[in-house]
Amino acid sequence: MTEDPGFQARRIIRAAAAATLATQQDGQPFASLVTPGTAPGLAPLLWLSTLSEHTRHLQRDPRCALLFTGAAEGANPQTAPRVTLTGLAEPITDAELKARWLARHPYAALYAEFADFGLWRINPQGALMVGGFARATRLRLGQLLPDAAAVAAIAAAEAGIIGHVNADHADAVEAIATGLLGAAPGAWRLTAVDVDGLDLAAGDSVLRLAFAAPVTDAEGVRTELVRSARTARAALAASQQGKIS
């Protein structure tokens, strides 16, 4: 585990393609599967249908929790790192955040414009991170959320970073996807950047690259991309050498 439990928790949250949403109606708890994205400042984003029971619960009572789970270290599921985030849900209309959620779940374009669907944001209140068996840390909001100034700096630079990298360094993006993240070759492109890492996509496949530490500006993103591309290319070269020998 990283020494910064807030950063570790954010890595788990931002990497999750699915999560468990806990709501309640008249005191009766209810759990459902949802597919989250995250806003630049970490707030989970959900694309929910008004036909779903959990959406109706949130309309009555915005209090909720989300469970994000990473991969277990072995056969025991209790070794999986996980984060329970508590928060208040609100429906929002924000084209940029909707596009961000769709970039995380491109397959959802098939139903993204259905009239019964809408974007919800979960405003975090705190979290409990379990780093594995018997390793629990309670995180206050100030410990969980990234630095606000860094979030704003990266958000302002994000479009330029994505445009430049995809136009001029597509080979580096594919190298990271295949050499570092274990994906098959393809038309991989950079789709999102935040203080904790970045997302790569090819078709409906999305990968998450977590940074070694949170970054504070565009130069920090560049440094992480260069380091990751070098590591990925070295891994690909070693793999190819192994096949030859």
Side-chain angles (χ1 to χ4, degrees):
M1 291 176 59
T2 177
E3 294 182 0
D4 180 352
F7 177 50
Q8 175 70 10
R10 295 197 304 272
R11 289 176 65 154
I12 295 169
I13 291 169
R14 293 196 194 271
T20 300
L21 172 68
T23 57
Q24 67 89 25
Q25 182 176 15
D26 300 327
Q28 175 61 55
F30 184 84
S32 53
L33 177 72
V34 291
T35 50
T38 57
L42 188 69
L45 304 172
L46 304 177
W47 190 245
L48 302 179
S49 169
T50 55
L51 303 178
S52 299
E53 195 163 345
H54 51 252
T55 307
R56 296 194 292 271
H57 294 172
L58 294 176
Q59 289 170 336
R60 299 186 188 98
D61 186 343
R63 293 175 298 173
C64 61
L66 285 163
L67 173 63
F68 302 89
T69 306
E73 297 174 358
N76 183 358
Q78 294 285 350
T79 62
R82 51 203 181 271
V83 178
T84 297
L85 180 147
T86 57
L88 297 175
E90 63 172 342
I92 61 172
T93 302
D94 188 309
E96 289 186 1
L97 290 181
K98 177 184 176 181
R100 195 175 195 89
W101 184 88
L102 280 171
R104 190 69 178 84
H105 302 281
Y107 58 84
L110 293 172
Y111 54 84
E113 303 306 321
F114 286 8
D116 59 295
F117 276 88
L119 187 65
W120 287 71
R121 177 172 56 204
I122 311 300
N123 297 306
Q125 293 185 311
L128 175 69
M129 184 185 69
V130 180
F133 188 75
R135 291 183 289 169
T137 303
R138 178 72 64 178
L139 297 170
R140 297 186 300 275
L141 194 58
Q143 297 171 297
L144 175 66
L145 298 183
D147 178 74
V151 169
I154 299 301
E158 181 181 26
I161 293 171
I162 291 174
H164 169 67
V165 170
N166 287 337
D168 298 337
H169 302 287
D171 56 334
V173 175
E174 183 173 5
I176 291 170
T178 56
L180 203 57
L181 302 177
W188 290 97
R189 67 191 191 285
L190 182 60
T191 58
V193 182
D194 54 69
V195 298
D196 300 313
L198 52 84
D199 292 343
L200 310 176
D204 285 343
S205 299
V206 178
L207 300 173
R208 177 72 181 174
L209 174 69
F211 293 154
V215 299
T216 59
D217 53 25
E219 180 60 24
V221 176
R222 189 193 74 82
T223 298
E224 286 288 333
L225 279 167
V226 170
R227 179 189 62 79
S228 297
R230 286 176 177 167
T231 302
R233 285 171 171 145
L236 290 170
S239 176
Q240 187 62 31
Q241 183 63 35
K243 291 177 181 178
I244 294 174
S245 59

